[in-house]
Amino acid sequence: MAQPNYGFAKRQRELAKKQKKEEKKRRKEAEQAPQGGEAGQAPAADQTPGETPQQ
């Protein structure tokens, strides 16, 4: 009969806990972002820092 791999089970629990914690952190950041305005947002991907948006 095969023996349980406790190390693997522990690692899976740790990964699940870490993922849940990161998801919770992202949710909190998303809730705070609209209240903080646009000052904290990073520039658009197609812009270089210091470049003004083209309209």
Side-chain angles (χ1 to χ4, degrees):
M1 188 162 156
Q3 294 181 341
N5 187 349
Y6 292 112
F8 178 78
K10 181 179 180 183
R11 178 72 175 145
Q12 293 303 307
R13 285 193 309 272
E14 290 173 352
L15 289 173
K17 187 186 287 187
K18 185 177 179 181
Q19 184 179 14
K20 187 175 180 181
K21 188 175 181 181
E22 289 177 2
E23 186 176 324
K24 185 175 180 181
K25 181 181 174 186
R26 282 191 220 111
R27 269 200 315 267
K28 284 187 176 185
E29 288 175 353
E31 289 175 5
Q32 291 177 355
Q35 296 170 358
E38 295 184 21
Q41 293 182 350
D46 58 347
Q47 285 183 303
T48 57
E51 185 179 331
T52 57
Q54 298 172 358
Q55 291 182 354

